[in-house]
């Protein structure tokens, strides 16, 4: 899944890998009840908070924001699902 790959990439840079010399494996489970837009940003933020809550050593929380750029160059911060769908 493309979103999960992007979440993994974003969160892997926040984990202090040197603290887990023997290797590490963390498993995150997401249940999307409703998607009104910015799903990737929400997944990254919640994954970061979940790892921190579980006691995983991290450099800091990973914070994200979604910015949609239209074909004519206009910027839409935090677009809703309808706005995202019209441009994909």
């Amino acid at each position: 899944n493309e979103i999960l790959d992007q979440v993994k990439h974003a969160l892997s840079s926040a984990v202090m890998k040197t603290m887990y010399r023997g290797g590490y494996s963390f498993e995150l489970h997401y249940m999307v009840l409703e998607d009104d837009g910015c799903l990737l940003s929400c997944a990254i933020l919640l994954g970061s908070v979940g790892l921190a809550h579980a006691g995983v050593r991290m450099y800091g929380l990973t914070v994200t924001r979604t910015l949609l750029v239209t074909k004519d160059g206009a910027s839409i911060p935090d677009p809703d699902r309808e706005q995202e769908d019209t441009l994909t």
Side-chain angles (χ1 to χ4, degrees):
N1 185 330
E2 183 180 336
I3 288 180
L4 293 178
D5 289 340
Q6 291 174 341
V7 170
K8 180 180 176 182
H9 179 72
L11 295 178
S12 67
S13 63
V15 173
M16 291 183 166
K17 297 172 189 75
T18 57
M19 300 298 293
Y20 304 97
R21 294 189 194 281
Y24 68 93
S25 176
F26 302 110
E27 192 170 315
L28 299 172
H29 295 267
Y30 292 91
M31 181 184 298
V32 178
L33 300 177
E34 187 174 326
D35 177 10
D36 191 29
C38 303
L39 180 63
L40 177 60
S41 291
C42 292
I44 291 170
L45 178 60
L46 292 175
S48 181
V49 171
L51 290 173
H53 181 72
V56 174
R57 301 289 303 229
M58 300 171 65
Y59 295 108
L61 294 178
T62 303
V63 181
T64 63
R65 178 133 191 224
T66 301
L67 178 68
L68 192 97
V69 179
T70 63
K71 293 175 184 169
D72 61 357
S75 298
I76 303 171
D78 299 321
D80 61 26
R81 168 55 56 207
E82 185 178 322
Q83 291 169 319
E84 289 179 346
D85 288 343
T86 59
L87 295 173
T88 57

